[in-house]
Amino acid sequence: MTRKNRQLRLGDALSATVPGMIRGWRTAWGAVVVGTVVWGVRPFVADSLVWAWTLAAVAATLMLTGALTRVSISADQADARRLGLGPVGLQFKMPELRLAGAAALWAVFMAMIVSVVALVLLAVFGMAGLDASAIQAREWAAVGPAWKLVLLAVLTVGVLFAVAALIVRLSLFAAATVGRGHMVSLNSMALTRDVFWPLFAGLILVAVPKFLLIGLWSMGLLTGAVGWVVWAVILNVVQGPLALAYLGAVYRQVESHTPQGGARD
């Protein structure tokens, strides 16, 4: 029996992203506000209360992710409510707990991969015999032969791309967890097996707000408490809803079942 390849119409997914983000704002604005406020107050929290803030930030993030994911994978508000969406996106139910479990597995897996990659790169750079003192002094001409530098640069880029590709392959775990009604983590890669490149291209496009933030931060324009608050606002109000709307649109195309397990027509 042959496996039917999934297809992703990137144009359709992107055209549904901004309307999906706006629908998320309208339907789950309460969760957006809570997430923004909780993350935004971090610079003003006393050190003795950081643990309480951390718990609140995790809960707010799960609630926001759960709300926006329900909206993004549903045809309308009624469908989102059948998936457990609360008033203005304020809810903390089993889907949020499943998201916590799936995210924890995702984080542990990625930490293992990154650790192995880092060790391999350190070993390769160590065996390359480069001049450490020249690297520290940024005297690149004295570091070592040019061919070694080029080879190590290519290897580094390739390894970093492999890690990024793995993140892309796992990017639908939240949508699948909410849509299927059970925890989906590493096995979410089955959904992205045939759609990697269009999915990757779309993720780059919807990450523009984050890239702009990183650019401003690298120029020293987003520092201190004000910079933190700007990050919190943009990530919770723009970047999060935008990315989840896109991933929801992708999930609706590649998933072979309707939310909670019913077969599609």
Side-chain angles (χ1 to χ4, degrees):
M1 182 175 180
T2 59
R3 177 180 61 85
K4 183 179 179 180
N5 290 341
R6 290 183 172 87
Q7 294 184 350
L8 172 60
R9 299 180 299 278
L10 180 58
D12 291 348
L14 290 174
S15 65
T17 297
V18 173
M21 178 178 66
I22 295 173
R23 190 159 64 100
W25 287 341
R26 291 175 177 173
T27 308
W29 62 266
V32 173
V33 170
V34 169
T36 303
V37 171
V38 171
W39 279 96
V41 300
R42 173 62 184 90
F44 313 104
V45 175
D47 292 341
S48 60
L49 296 176
V50 170
W51 64 271
W53 174 84
T54 301
L55 292 176
V58 170
T61 301
L62 289 172
M63 182 171 63
L64 177 59
T65 302
L68 293 175
T69 300
R70 287 177 176 92
V71 174
S72 68
I73 67 174
S74 301
D76 51 36
Q77 190 169 348
D79 281 344
R81 287 175 177 171
R82 280 193 288 272
L83 290 174
L85 181 69
V88 299
L90 300 178
Q91 74 291 303
F92 202 94
K93 303 175 181 179
M94 279 304 299
E96 280 69 32
L97 296 178
R98 296 187 189 108
L99 283 173
L105 287 176
W106 183 95
V108 169
F109 177 70
M110 290 306 305
M112 294 171 58
I113 296 298
V114 171
S115 297
V116 172
V117 166
L119 290 174
V120 170
L121 285 178
L122 285 174
V124 171
F125 273 79
M127 292 186 295
L130 302 180
D131 189 334
S133 60
I135 294 176
Q136 293 176 352
R138 297 186 179 182
E139 297 176 357
W140 306 115
V143 170
W147 69 268
K148 283 188 178 182
L149 298 180
V150 172
L151 184 61
L152 290 173
V154 171
L155 176 63
T156 301
V157 171
V159 169
L160 293 178
F161 176 78
V163 173
L166 191 56
I167 293 174
V168 172
R169 288 292 309 275
L170 292 167
S171 60
L172 293 182
F173 80 90
T177 294
V178 174
R180 294 182 176 181
H182 59 83
M183 192 170 71
V184 180
S185 187
L186 304 185
N187 50 337
S188 64
M189 285 194 287
L191 288 169
T192 59
R193 181 185 295 114
D194 304 312
V195 299
F196 171 78
W197 288 110
L199 173 60
F200 182 40
L203 284 173
I204 292 176
L205 291 175
V206 299
V208 168
K210 185 184 294 184
F211 293 149
L212 291 177
L213 284 175
I214 293 173
L216 293 173
W217 172 77
S218 65
M219 292 186 289
L221 299 178
L222 291 179
T223 59
V226 173
W228 180 281
V229 171
V230 171
W231 272 88
V233 171
I234 299 301
L235 291 180
N236 284 277
V237 178
V238 180
Q239 182 62 76
L242 184 66
L244 290 172
Y246 169 69
L247 291 173
V250 171
Y251 178 78
R252 291 199 306 270
Q253 287 193 36
V254 302
E255 176 59 286
S256 58
H257 294 78
T258 56
Q260 302 292 0
R264 289 193 188 279
D265 294 331

